[in-house]
Amino acid sequence: FTSPSTLPPALARVLTSSVIQSGASVIFHIILTLFGAPLLVKVNQTYNAALLLATLTTLWPAYQLPWSDDTWIRMFARSSPENQSEAAMCFTSYGATIGAWLGAIPIP
């Protein structure tokens, strides 16, 4: 594996965003399991849901934003985007997360 500084910038961004998305999918899988998804019975379906949620919430910000803790904390924890592009990423991620949470509520 070569260092990211020797790679072309576009390839380095794709590589970084795919690593971030993979880590986010594992974190979302753990969160979904803690919220009551089956632990041993439907592991594939739970991981597919986690991968979909990670794709909808982290892929675009991971590709567009620089990888610094301050940027991610400012965007998602403090909810203070600096421009319209960051606002679109922030609210899209919030919408996907809230939609997944509300989608788990059974409709009578």
Side-chain angles (χ1 to χ4, degrees), residues 61-75:
Y63 185 76
Q64 293 291 329
L65 296 174
W67 178 246
S68 68
D69 294 337
D70 296 334
T71 305
W72 286 74
I73 289 172
R74 176 183 51 81
M75 287 262 312

Side-chain angles (χ1 to χ4, degrees), residues 1 14 16 24 30 40 42 51 55 58-59 62 68 78-79 89 93 98:
F1 184 72
V14 168
T16 304
I30 292 169
L40 299 173
K42 297 182 178 181
L51 187 60
T55 301
T58 61
L59 186 62
S68 68
R78 293 187 199 139
S79 186
M89 286 185 268
S93 298
I98 292 169

Side-chain angles (χ1 to χ4, degrees), residues 15-107:
L15 184 63
T16 304
S17 63
S18 61
V19 168
I20 292 171
Q21 183 188 9
S22 300
S25 68
V26 172
I27 291 170
F28 278 126
H29 182 74
I30 292 169
I31 291 171
L32 288 173
T33 304
L34 290 175
F35 276 138
L39 180 61
L40 299 173
V41 179
K42 297 182 178 181
V43 176
N44 289 337
Q45 288 87 350
T46 305
Y47 186 73
N48 284 339
L51 187 60
L52 176 66
L53 193 56
T55 301
L56 293 174
T57 59
T58 61
L59 186 62
W60 186 24
Y63 185 76
Q64 293 291 329
L65 296 174
W67 178 246
S68 68
D69 294 337
D70 296 334
T71 305
W72 286 74
I73 289 172
R74 176 183 51 81
M75 287 262 312
F76 297 108
R78 293 187 199 139
S79 186
S80 60
E82 291 181 349
N83 54 31
Q84 291 179 351
S85 177
E86 288 183 357
M89 286 185 268
C90 188
F91 297 137
T92 302
S93 298
Y94 289 158
T97 306
I98 292 169
W101 182 65
L102 289 175
I105 298 172
I107 299 173

